[in-house]
Amino acid sequence: MAGNTEKSLRNQIIYSVFVRNYSKEGTFEAVRADLDRIRSLGTDIIWLMPINPVGRINRKGTLGSPYSISDYRKVNPEFGTEDDLKKLVKSIHSKGMKIIIDIVYNHTSRDSVLSRQHPEWFFHKEDGNFGNKTGDWWDVIDLDYSNKDLWKYQIDTLKMWAGEFDIDGFRCDVAPLVPVEFWEEARAAVESVHPGAIWLAESVEPSFVTYNRSKGVTCASDSELYKAFDICYDYDSYWLLDGYLSGRNSLKKYLERLNLQEAIYPDNYVKLRFLENHDRLRAAFIIKDMPSLVNWTAFLYFQKGTTLIYNGQEAMESHTPGLFDDDTISWNRIDESHPLQDLMRRMALLKKNPILSDSSFRAESPFDGLIIATHRENAGKINGKPGKRLVGFFSTDGRPHLVHVNRSGENDIPDGIYTNLVDGSHVECSFGEVSLTGEPVIIEI
């Protein structure tokens, strides 16, 4: 694990913004105008998806993929000027938030500055032409990190963004395909100009790791990436969440994978927990009924790790915006009283509970449609007394349930009346039974 990764990142909320489709204007200034609302959701960190110019050769769609970058050191003029970006950064900081930007270091556009100036820094196929080591990403060409001059250029670029633009960290696209040793050196270099920078890796599914390795392509696991990164994606379990929601596997199988993370990663591991992102379907598209969506959203915040909200998720937007065209998010259903936005604000307050930053975690499903999850203070037994616990009940089917909770052992919940930390209501445990209404419940013991 990165030596200075703070467990407090588990109390943080990241809000992801795709500038092009965030507003009709598609500009930095339009994002800046909405910062108060974004902050009101409990946002700690704003992540801007790629802000660089997009290549023109083999362009996908009408505007091109934001991940087909032509110049790492420039700002996409469609979004505004460098001064507009600096103004946005300053406003984000003034409101008590941080900003990270997307770094796409595995590949560039086919007509990038580097492909013209330094073709020797790229992967070449057997016929001598540019290409990809893996996949069919026909709008981009892969870089070759066996060349240390490339390392210097890329690291100097990161230092420029962190220094001159005061960027607080980086979300690194397909980080496993870039050598971990590069990321370690980059982290140390950026620390010298911006101490405490945040490093988020787009780690990948286990199947993608094994596929690439079977083809002789180096691809780092989460465990390797944690040497350089603070936060890794939750793709090592998300595929089982998707499998449960689409009927391919049980809820128990998904939760078993979450529990396994507690044993295979360092004590201060941090996962990026999400229900959706720009590469996946919207949560409101997959989870159709409101009660279920409420419970899954509450569980998202209760999990051990940093919470990710993708712009438009709070409006229950079901359409996943296209990355290659003008496809503005529909905000017409959002207002101050929107039920999901209100839940997110309440859960954001609960997210700051110190137990959520330093605790052991376990989740179980006594029957399909219900998750019982527990955070137990890592202090454990102090002077013979157990540490505090937060216990969450999430009706993932949105239905009422009667749950037997007084099991033998340390996980017993004594009979009594508790306060639901989600909405302030009373929750009673009587004769070892808790009666759930279908709303999410979190209590402290």
Side-chain angles (χ1 to χ4, degrees):
M1 194 73 197
N4 59 346
T5 295
E6 297 288 343
K7 291 182 179 180
S8 59
L9 284 169
R10 296 171 180 162
N11 298 117
Q12 302 282 287
I13 297 169
I14 296 177
Y15 188 90
S16 173
V17 173
F18 183 25
V19 176
R20 176 191 292 166
N21 290 337
Y22 188 80
S23 64
K24 291 181 179 179
E25 299 84 359
T27 61
F28 295 131
E29 184 60 26
V31 175
R32 196 175 75 86
D34 203 29
L35 288 181
D36 285 335
R37 189 193 65 81
I38 294 174
R39 181 69 185 99
S40 75
L41 295 173
T43 301
D44 301 288
I45 304 163
I46 292 179
W47 152 29
L48 296 185
M49 288 169 57
I51 59 172
N52 310 103
V54 173
R56 295 186 175 277
I57 296 178
N58 285 8
R59 176 175 279 192
K60 291 182 176 179
T62 57
L63 298 176
S65 169
Y67 291 91
S68 178
I69 290 172
S70 62
D71 193 337
Y72 289 126
R73 297 184 175 182
K74 298 294 183 183
V75 168
N76 189 336
E78 298 172 15
F79 299 165
T81 65
E82 291 185 356
D83 285 340
D84 290 333
L85 175 60
K86 289 178 179 178
K87 189 176 180 181
L88 173 59
V89 172
K90 186 175 181 180
S91 293
I92 288 172
H93 288 160
S94 72
K95 296 180 186 297
M97 296 181 287
K98 294 184 177 181
I99 177 173
I100 64 175
I101 62 172
D102 231 313
I103 294 298
V104 188
Y105 269 13
N106 176 68
H107 49 260
T108 74
S109 69
R110 291 182 172 271
D111 54 354
S112 67
V113 170
L114 292 188
S115 69
R116 298 193 305 270
Q117 296 180 353
H118 293 284
E120 73 278 11
W121 290 358
F122 286 78
F123 167 76
H124 294 269
K125 299 184 294 184
E126 290 184 0
D127 62 7
N129 291 320
F130 294 131
N132 309 117
K133 297 184 291 292
T134 184
D136 185 24
W137 298 336
W138 44 266
D139 61 330
V140 296
I141 50 178
D142 286 1
L143 289 158
D144 179 3
Y145 280 83
S146 65
N147 193 310
K148 287 302 182 76
D149 288 336
L150 172 61
W151 286 39
K152 184 180 186 307
Y153 181 91
Q154 300 289 63
I155 290 173
D156 285 346
T157 302
L158 293 170
K159 290 169 68 176
M160 179 199 80
W161 290 114
E164 180 183 344
F165 287 83
D166 203 16
I167 299 298
D168 299 301
F170 305 99
R171 180 268 185 188
C172 302
D173 189 63
V174 285
L177 296 181
V178 176
V180 173
E181 295 76 14
F182 166 81
W183 293 124
E184 289 180 291
E185 187 171 317
R187 182 187 181 109
V190 169
E191 189 71 13
S192 69
V193 298
H194 198 112
I198 300 162
W199 292 83
L200 165 61
E202 186 201 21
S203 52
V204 295
E205 294 88 345
S207 59
F208 190 73
V209 175
T210 55
Y211 169 79
N212 279 284
R213 290 177 176 178
S214 72
K215 300 297 182 182
V217 177
T218 298
C219 189
S221 66
D222 288 29
S223 295
E224 294 168 297
L225 289 168
Y226 272 130
K227 292 190 291 185
F229 287 90
D230 300 304
I231 311 170
C232 282
Y233 264 47
D234 197 22
Y235 278 150
D236 61 332
S237 66
Y238 176 84
W239 63 283
L240 289 168
L241 169 60
D242 181 65
Y244 169 68
L245 294 174
S246 59
R248 299 192 305 274
N249 58 256
S250 67
L251 180 58
K252 180 181 178 181
K253 190 170 184 179
Y254 164 58
L255 298 180
E256 285 175 345
R257 180 65 205 190
L258 287 185
N259 294 335
L260 182 62
Q261 292 174 346
E262 286 286 274
I264 62 177
Y265 297 132
D267 177 62
N268 62 335
Y269 82 97
V270 185
K271 278 284 182 181
L272 185 72
R273 308 296 185 181
F274 51 84
L275 289 178
E276 62 181 66
N277 62 51
H278 68 269
D279 283 326
R280 294 295 181 267
L281 292 171
R282 290 284 198 182
F285 181 86
I286 302 171
I287 307 168
K288 290 296 186 183
D289 63 290
M290 186 66 179
S292 293
L293 183 58
V294 164
N295 276 273
W296 277 111
T297 301
F299 181 58
L300 168 67
Y301 284 79
F302 193 68
Q303 289 184 63
K304 188 174 184 176
T306 306
T307 300
L308 174 68
I309 301 301
Y310 180 47
N311 52 197
Q313 182 175 345
E314 69 272 34
M316 286 182 60
E317 176 66 272
S318 60
H319 168 66
T320 304
L323 295 182
F324 316 136
D325 303 286
D326 185 3
D327 191 7
T328 306
I329 295 169
S330 175
W331 294 105
N332 59 347
R333 288 185 296 175
I334 196 72
D335 58 47
E336 291 301 312
S337 63
H338 192 282
L340 198 64
Q341 184 170 255
D342 179 61
L343 173 68
M344 288 177 167
R345 286 171 173 158
R346 285 184 277 122
M347 291 304 301
L349 293 174
L350 196 154
K351 188 73 177 173
K352 304 309 178 189
N353 189 308
I355 296 177
L356 295 181
S357 67
D358 194 8
S359 57
S360 58
F361 174 84
R362 180 169 179 78
E364 58 180 302
S365 177
F367 47 82
D368 194 59
L370 178 70
I371 295 173
I372 302 177
T374 303
H375 282 269
R376 181 184 293 277
E377 280 184 318
N378 271 347
K381 290 188 175 180
I382 303 172
N383 298 323
K385 297 180 180 180
K388 291 182 180 179
R389 286 179 287 155
L390 290 178
V391 181
F393 300 86
F394 306 94
S395 299
T396 57
D397 58 7
R399 299 170 58 189
H401 293 287
L402 182 65
V403 188
H404 183 68
V405 293
N406 269 1
R407 304 173 299 280
S408 61
E410 293 184 352
N411 287 325
D412 286 356
I413 298 177
D415 282 357
I417 297 178
Y418 300 87
T419 298
N420 184 359
L421 301 180
V422 178
D423 61 12
S425 62
H426 287 165
V427 178
E428 183 174 1
C429 180
S430 182
F431 294 95
E433 306 284 350
V434 174
S435 182
L436 304 174
T437 64
E439 294 293 319
V441 169
I442 297 172
I443 60 176
E444 183 175 314
I445 301 173

